[in-house]
Amino acid sequence: MQHIQHFHALHHADELLFLGNAWDVLSARTLEQSGFQAIGTTSWGIAASLGYKDGENIDFGLHLSIIKLIVDHVNIPVSADIEAGLCGNTRTDRRERAADG
């Protein structure tokens, strides 16, 4: 079963789904080995682990690369917390417009 389908099934199971928050590969693997069925990333944790304050101070590409490292090193679903993921933030809006050309 693909991770996305497994994650969907976990959300619809009778048992509560608890997500441990990971900020790097070590924390993600520790959560997996501790028995978590899925994990989430923490934008604050990722930023803080690299010496940044939370609130879009970390380079977006760097943030995504850390999430990808986490995903690549665990065998359970990962939900990504991305700063300003819901948009409405002018810095994010400017980046999206610049990326669109």
Side-chain angles (χ1 to χ4, degrees):
M1 182 181 299
Q2 299 289 332
H3 286 306
I4 189 86
Q5 292 147 336
H6 183 215
F7 200 46
H8 183 268
L10 289 171
H11 274 82
H12 294 279
D14 290 334
E15 297 178 24
L16 288 176
L17 175 60
F18 291 95
L19 301 179
N21 281 341
W23 56 91
D24 61 10
V25 172
L26 180 60
S27 62
R29 292 188 67 161
T30 300
L31 291 166
E32 179 181 37
Q33 291 170 3
S34 297
F36 281 88
Q37 297 181 60
I39 57 175
T41 65
T42 162
S43 63
W44 178 87
I46 290 172
S49 73
L50 297 170
Y52 294 95
K53 291 184 179 180
D54 196 25
E56 293 193 354
N57 293 302
I58 184 173
D59 177 76
F60 187 70
L62 177 58
H63 193 153
L64 286 180
S65 70
I66 297 197
I67 293 169
K68 182 172 180 353
L69 280 171
I70 290 170
V71 168
D72 289 346
H73 286 88
V74 295
N75 294 307
I76 56 176
V78 176
S79 174
D81 173 19
I82 300 175
E83 293 183 339
L86 296 176
C87 207
N89 178 296
T90 56
R91 288 175 62 189
T92 301
D93 292 342
R94 283 194 304 266
R95 268 192 293 216
E96 289 174 354
R97 282 194 302 272
D100 288 339

